[in-house]
Amino acid sequence: MITGAICCICGKPLEDEGEEYCYDCRKRKHFFLRCRAPFLYRGKIKDSLMRFKYLGRAEYAAFYGRAMTEYGKRQGIFKNQSLIIPVPIHRERRIERGYNQAELLAKEVSLLTGIPVNKKILLRKKKTKALKSVSKESRSRGLAEAFSVSAAQRNMLPGKHILLIDDIYTTGSTADAASAHLLRAGATSVTVLTLAVSPGFS
């Protein structure tokens, strides 16, 4: 698990323990309050996560969920959270993979914390390109249009503190786009918990 100094917003490790923010978070305002992740997205964790995400290893979710919950508790992530919402994937990708990996993680965290999960509030209406293949600016533009809030479920959001669950935090573009939609629909705040965070600056 990640040890040492981390950015107080995105949770990425800091090279200088005297700093509070990483390079990216000093330059950019996020819609979410903070993000935390127990692991760095590299080495064995990166390989394992790729098997979980693309090669049908859904059973990994139980271990991942425990790791996220243990780390989240140490970081005080779960205090006052009202509802867990997984980042959705487009239906075509769900068919290809057989499941939404963020949804599996959200269910595990919900079981371990008692915070209810709702997978119907946040929708993925647009299929975006693989994020690693596009620039940060293109990611932000594409993701801003990729999400929406269900009209039938938006009454669940006003006054709620949302815990948004995803598998990987890289630039924060996905977390920001999803958080912006949830806040506009009435959520009081959004906190993000992911399994892994990319090392270094984004």
Side-chain angles (χ1 to χ4, degrees):
M1 288 192 178
I2 294 175
T3 58
I6 59 174
C7 174
C8 65
I9 296 180
C10 74
K12 290 184 179 182
L14 295 171
E15 294 181 356
D16 183 349
E17 294 193 359
E19 297 288 341
E20 292 187 45
Y21 305 101
C22 70
Y23 175 81
D24 188 55
C25 290
R26 286 198 301 269
K27 296 180 65 176
R28 172 181 180 186
K29 182 178 175 68
H30 293 289
F31 286 96
F32 56 87
L33 292 178
R34 60 178 176 152
C35 174
R36 292 293 181 268
F39 300 114
L40 282 177
Y41 183 57
R42 67 182 181 190
K44 291 182 179 179
I45 287 295
K46 182 177 181 179
D47 294 340
S48 174
L49 215 162
M50 290 299 96
R51 292 193 294 273
F52 172 57
K53 193 168 182 175
Y54 299 114
L55 298 179
R57 303 311 297 263
E59 70 272 17
Y60 289 7
F63 168 77
Y64 291 156
R66 286 195 301 273
M68 292 168 72
T69 302
E70 290 171 9
Y71 189 76
K73 285 179 177 178
R74 291 206 294 269
Q75 293 291 323
I77 282 290
F78 304 114
K79 186 178 180 181
N80 299 323
Q81 297 299 333
S82 313
L83 193 64
I84 292 173
I85 295 179
V87 171
I89 59 176
H90 191 270
R91 60 182 180 81
E92 290 182 15
R93 287 211 170 101
R94 188 183 185 106
I95 291 170
E96 291 169 4
R97 299 175 189 176
Y99 51 84
N100 173 8
Q101 69 280 357
E103 188 179 309
L104 297 184
L105 297 174
K107 288 179 180 178
E108 293 295 332
V109 174
S110 177
L111 284 172
L112 293 167
T113 62
I115 303 170
V117 60
N118 187 316
K119 64 180 182 179
K120 297 180 179 180
I121 291 177
L122 190 63
L123 307 174
R124 190 76 170 241
K125 62 180 183 179
K126 180 181 176 182
K127 186 177 180 181
T128 53
K129 294 180 180 179
L131 295 185
K132 61 184 179 182
S133 67
V134 297
S135 69
K136 186 189 298 185
E137 292 74 18
S138 296
R139 292 184 198 196
S140 298
R141 287 195 301 270
L143 284 165
E145 301 172 354
F147 297 108
S148 66
V149 170
S150 166
Q153 295 280 320
R154 63 188 305 121
N155 65 330
M156 298 285 293
L157 288 172
K160 297 291 178 60
H161 297 279
I162 304 301
L163 180 63
L164 186 69
I165 299 284
D166 205 0
D167 55 349
I168 307 166
Y169 180 101
T170 51
T171 67
S173 296
T174 297
D176 273 324
S179 298
H181 280 281
L182 295 170
L183 292 171
R184 283 198 293 268
T188 297
S189 69
V190 180
T191 299
V192 183
L193 179 64
T194 67
L195 175 66
V197 61
S198 64
F201 304 134
S202 55

